[in-house]
Amino acid sequence: MDLLIKDKVALVFGASKGLGKAIAASLVQEGVRVIIAARNRKRLEQAMTETGAIDSFTVDLQVEGDGPRIVEKIVQKYGAVDILVTNSGGPPNGFFADIDNVLWKNQYQNLVLSPVEIIRTALPAMQQQQWGRILMVTSVTAREPIAGLTISNVLRTGLLGLVKSLSNEVASQNITVNAMLPGYTKTQRLVDLHIDEEKICGEIPARRLGTPEEFAHLASFLGSEKAGYITGQMIACDGGYLRGY
Ligand SMILES: NC(=O)c1ccc[n+]([C@@H]2O[C@H](COP(=O)([O-])OP(=O)(O)OC[C@H]3O[C@@H](n4cnc5c(N)ncnc54)[C@H](OP(=O)(O)O)[C@@H]3O)[C@@H](O)[C@H]2O)c1
């Protein structure tokens, strides 16, 4: 199926590895001109070679204003970001008592304020051209809390409110806003969280972890011309992990 996004410009954050890198590769396959961003320059160079991304920028999304700085440069250079994918490193795990104010604030910047300020900066050019696709990588924790992932359980939920609020404001301008909720997907993140793969697969109806590529196909479709009537949605790619409606 031709997704009709050849030559569109995409900016994918958190794309030097894991889900973001897979999304970048998938969009490149569709003929999209993809720009990737993350903190580590060396990993970005490697990811550019592996994915075929045309440009890359270092950014630290835990620093206020750093995301918008990149968006401004890209809008200046390429005219607009047509397909915007907000994504960053996941928060540390921990129960309520483990988390102090400093960590709450850092992760608020990382998971909530960074997508807000990135989208705010990219939106005017999308509105001008009356076309845009905004995709937020969040987590199944936005819909169903996971014990010990307190920060994720709290902050990801807030982004769903952003999806519902913003999507209604911009739908008539041919701009869609959707959240993608990864379930347990085989990336470095699962290693960092010390996930017991065998145990977790027992809780997933598909009885296996997802692959970054499976998640990336969802992103490419939602980022496409053909998904123009899908907006304000929170779509999980989780092998059936979420049990609720
Ligand atoms: N994999 C899963 O099973 C799963 C499930 C649910 C939700 N998620 C969420 O989905 C997101 C992506 O997960 P993933 O599995 O792809 O993780 P990952 O493999 O650890 O990749 C994270 C990416 O984000 C970049 N990054 C990390 N901190 C950053 C920062 N402060 N500023 C800019 N870039 C930053 C990393 O590159 P640098 O280190 O070079 O910056 C890397 O490119 C995370 O928020 C994660 O919590 C993942």
Side-chain angles (χ1 to χ4, degrees), residues 19 139-140 181-186 190 204 210 215 236-239 241:
L19 303 179
S139 169
V140 285
L181 283 51
Y184 287 95
T185 314
K186 218 173 173 57
L190 293 196
I204 301 170
F215 184 74
C237 178
D238 67 350
Y241 180 80

Side-chain angles (χ1 to χ4, degrees), residues 2 12 19 25 31 44 49 77 80 94 96 113 130 132 166 172 174 190 198 211 215 220 227 232 234 238 241:
D2 183 353
V12 186
L19 303 179
L44 277 172
T49 309
K77 193 166 168 185
F96 180 73
L113 198 54
Q130 298 276 292
L166 180 61
S172 67
N174 206 13
L190 293 196
E198 203 181 315
T211 68
F215 184 74
S220 283
M234 289 74 82
D238 67 350
Y241 180 80

Side-chain angles (χ1 to χ4, degrees), residues 30-63:
E30 300 300 328
V32 174
R33 293 181 292 156
V34 177
I35 299 142
I36 58 175
R39 290 169 303 184
N40 186 290
R41 170 47 56 199
K42 213 168 149 197
R43 268 201 295 271
L44 277 172
E45 298 291 341
Q46 176 73 25
M48 279 183 69
T49 309
E50 289 175 25
T51 62
I54 56 165
D55 211 345
S56 67
F57 292 85
T58 53
V59 65
D60 187 349
L61 297 173
Q62 288 200 35
V63 176

